[in-house]
Amino acid sequence: MNIQLIEVLVVESAKLHIFAVPDYEQELWRKMALGVPAVPFTYVVHLLGVVSIILVLVWTIHFRGGLAWDSSNKALIFNIHPVLIIIGLIVIGGEAIISYKSLPLRKELKKLIHLVLHAIALILGIIGIYTAFKYHNESGIANLYSLHSWLGIGVIVLYGIQWIYGFVIFFFPGGTQDIRRYSLPWHVLFGLFVYVLAVGTAALGFLEKLTFLENSGLAKYGSEALLVNFTAIITVLFGAFVVLAAISDAPPAATDDYEPI
């Protein structure tokens, strides 16, 4: 009977080892965490994300005339750019970052969601940047002459590199435990850096576009100008709360990956 009990304990111990988060990952998150719960921050992120999407759609559809892939009114082509950047790189990208802190799921499932959301954000970001080039080319406007455009290209390239590296090292084929242990803090830090850069570039884009519009006669204190500025503020606040959620403590259900079989 004692031998059977020992066998059961050994089997259960092995299961715990298989499904537990590696010690180095737990230790990393403890060191990087603020010591405050992440869940309240994630609620604010969800709310601000919805608000930012609504505001950018109101701006581009109500004030700027709508969206179009092909049109004689080339401004409609440009309107796709801010919509896809906000929905893709900013909102979906932010949700991907906080997925580890907001979803009470198994680690491997959270990793898959994190990967897929970032892939969607990257694809939408690439299409969004392409529409800016399309608008410029069809309107006879020079490309890559502004700080916003330079930063935008840098962000999408870094975002792509970050995603590919994360896929290869942490998903498939996957690096060794030593490589993953060394890479994880840099992956987290570099990901936050790229995301903050993306939010700053988006805010700069709102400023640039609004400046062009005001120089073309748009009222500086009119409803559209106020809407654009307010959308930029919400975007910055969204990014700030994403970072706060990312460096805060995940709920216990989200960090305990052991499930008895």
Side-chain angles (χ1 to χ4, degrees), residues 2-155:
N2 290 336
I3 295 177
Q4 291 178 340
L5 179 60
I6 292 174
E7 289 177 349
V8 171
L9 291 174
V10 170
V11 171
E12 291 301 318
S13 177
K15 292 176 181 177
L16 179 61
H17 175 72
I18 290 172
F19 290 102
V21 179
D23 290 341
Y24 71 86
E25 291 191 22
Q26 293 178 336
E27 183 63 24
L28 171 67
W29 291 119
R30 281 195 294 267
K31 289 181 177 179
M32 296 183 68
L34 288 175
V36 296
V39 172
F41 294 132
T42 64
Y43 292 155
V44 177
V45 168
H46 302 326
L47 176 62
L48 291 177
V50 172
V51 172
S52 64
I53 291 174
I54 292 174
L55 290 178
V56 76
L57 288 174
V58 169
W59 177 42
T60 54
I61 295 175
H62 177 70
F63 286 97
R64 293 286 97 202
L67 312 171
W69 189 258
D70 287 302
S71 175
S72 58
N73 182 1
K74 303 307 178 182
L76 302 185
I77 299 174
F78 173 83
N79 290 346
I80 300 175
H81 174 69
V83 170
L84 292 187
I85 294 301
I86 292 299
I87 294 177
L89 285 183
I90 305 303
V91 175
I92 297 180
E95 292 288 349
I97 289 174
I98 68 169
S99 60
Y100 279 103
K101 301 299 179 75
S102 62
L103 300 175
L105 304 172
R106 285 271 309 281
K107 174 194 168 187
E108 291 304 317
L109 184 54
K110 288 187 290 186
K111 182 187 295 185
L112 180 61
I113 292 172
H114 178 79
L115 180 77
V116 171
L117 287 179
H118 272 310
I120 295 172
L122 179 61
I123 292 170
L124 292 180
I126 291 172
I127 298 174
I129 290 177
Y130 172 77
T131 58
F133 279 93
K134 179 179 171 65
Y135 163 71
H136 280 200
N137 292 337
E138 295 185 12
S139 302
I141 301 173
N143 290 307
L144 299 175
Y145 64 87
S146 67
L147 177 61
H148 170 68
S149 61
W150 290 11
L151 289 175
I153 294 297
V155 165

Side-chain angles (χ1 to χ4, degrees), residues 210-230:
L210 183 58
T211 301
F212 289 158
L213 292 174
E214 289 176 346
N215 288 338
S216 299
L218 183 72
K220 290 181 171 57
Y221 297 100
S223 56
E224 182 176 356
L226 294 177
L227 175 66
V228 174
N229 282 331
F230 191 67

Side-chain angles (χ1 to χ4, degrees), residues 181-248:
R181 179 188 295 111
Y182 177 79
S183 298
L184 184 58
W186 291 106
H187 180 69
V188 173
L189 182 62
F190 187 71
L192 288 177
F193 166 74
V194 174
Y195 185 73
V196 169
L197 191 61
V199 171
T201 303
L204 187 61
F206 283 118
L207 172 63
E208 181 180 286
K209 184 62 177 179
L210 183 58
T211 301
F212 289 158
L213 292 174
E214 289 176 346
N215 288 338
S216 299
L218 183 72
K220 290 181 171 57
Y221 297 100
S223 56
E224 182 176 356
L226 294 177
L227 175 66
V228 174
N229 282 331
F230 191 67
T231 305
I233 291 173
I234 295 296
T235 300
V236 172
L237 289 176
F238 177 87
F241 276 96
V242 166
V243 173
L244 287 175
I247 61 177
S248 299

